[in-house]
Amino acid sequence: MDIKELMLGDLVVYKGEPMKVVFLADILEECLRLAPLTGHFCTYDCTQAELNEVEPLPITAELLQKNGFIREDFEEDSFLLKTADKTVRFYGDNEGFDLIIYFNNADIDLENIIGIHKVQQALRMAGLNCMADFDV
């Protein structure tokens, strides 16, 4: 995985286990630190050589529903989450989702995303930081 695609707080998979990015070194060093989401208190430092073992955490219907998204009957897999002034909508399937966030007469539109870290980044850009912290 390319370290340039990640931000602090993003969820990824490292050696089969979901983890959170808790440190990013200078881009030239290409080093990051990951913290397990389970009860472990240790962190893992991934050097440039180990970055190929870091993978996107897949977007799944179960993960979306666990985090407050409501399944719609609009399309094959369609999910909706609303706040007072923002609407987040997913369309697609487990091979790739399209995401649209409507807010303040604007929108963020991403197509064919497969990693939850891209969703987290879009939610942060829309000012939905509390929703970007997904429970796995």
Side-chain angles (χ1 to χ4, degrees):
M1 184 165 197
D2 189 350
I3 192 172
K4 296 174 188 112
E5 295 180 18
L6 297 173
M7 296 174 63
L8 293 177
D10 284 351
L11 298 177
V12 295
V13 175
Y14 178 64
K15 295 185 177 181
E17 185 177 347
M19 302 219 180
K20 181 185 281 191
V21 176
V22 294
F23 175 80
L24 290 166
D26 183 279
I27 296 298
L28 296 176
E29 290 181 38
E30 291 195 349
C31 176
L32 64 102
R33 182 169 296 140
L34 301 171
L37 301 178
T38 58
H40 303 282
F41 294 107
C42 60
T43 58
Y44 300 93
D45 288 337
C46 297
T47 62
Q48 186 175 14
E50 297 169 308
L51 286 177
N52 62 342
E53 296 184 57
V54 178
E55 301 173 351
L57 180 67
I59 301 168
T60 63
E62 295 78 19
L63 181 61
L64 293 174
Q65 289 175 316
K66 183 176 182 177
N67 287 279
F69 286 84
I70 299 169
R71 184 183 291 269
E72 294 184 301
D73 291 331
F74 181 69
E75 284 189 13
E76 184 178 327
D77 271 333
S78 180
F79 298 89
L80 179 71
L81 183 63
K82 285 189 172 190
T83 67
D85 60 345
K86 296 175 178 83
T87 301
V88 182
R89 181 167 268 136
F90 278 93
Y91 305 97
D93 55 35
N94 287 334
E95 293 183 17
F97 282 89
D98 296 342
L99 168 69
I100 302 174
I101 304 173
Y102 302 99
F103 63 103
N104 301 335
N105 298 324
D107 62 70
I108 296 173
D109 189 353
L110 299 173
E111 295 181 353
N112 201 31
I113 54 176
I114 57 169
I116 203 72
H117 68 285
K118 293 292 187 186
V119 177
Q120 290 177 289
Q121 294 167 9
L123 291 170
R124 290 182 196 119
M125 285 191 306
L128 297 168
N129 294 333
C130 61
M131 289 182 191
D133 293 331
F134 278 76
D135 289 328
V136 178

